[in-house]
Amino acid sequence: MGGDRFGRLHGERARRPHPRRGSYVLQSPAAGQVTAVLAKEGERLPAGSPVLKVRTADGETVVRTVAAGRITALAAALGQIVATGADVAAVEKVPDADAPLYATVYLPAENAGSVPRTRPWT
């Protein structure tokens, strides 16, 4: 199976992230052309912050963060055409700007039993 820019395996269902940590992929709510990139990789933003502006047939749409966090990857560039639902950024949920990033690894079910667990999940 192949992966994408955000490290997810195609064909795998992601687990629901912990409500206070983890990451999420930000998707464009509308199809159109990216007219402004308002955030930078590594930047920490509060919930509802503008990340991109997308020009649509009906005007301009602002793509905003869903939850507070740090931008870990931007997949959309100025002038790029994006589809509705296209992945445009990855956001790591963090309590403050100096908090460490967490990694999430997705494995096929047949390999998951061989991965040692270092601490119980809560």
Side-chain angles (χ1 to χ4, degrees), residues 74-99:
L74 281 170
L78 187 63
Q80 181 178 350
I81 304 298
V82 294
T84 301
D87 295 345
V88 295
V91 182
E92 177 75 27
K93 294 180 186 178
V94 292
D96 60 66
D98 296 325

Side-chain angles (χ1 to χ4, degrees), residues 56-69:
T56 68
D58 298 326
E60 201 156 71
T61 298
V62 178
V63 181
R64 298 179 180 277
T65 56
V66 176

Side-chain angles (χ1 to χ4, degrees), residues 15 105-118 121:
R15 287 187 180 193
V105 178
Y106 298 98
L107 300 171
E110 60 271 10
N111 295 345
S114 62
V115 177
R117 193 157 54 168
T118 58
W121 298 101

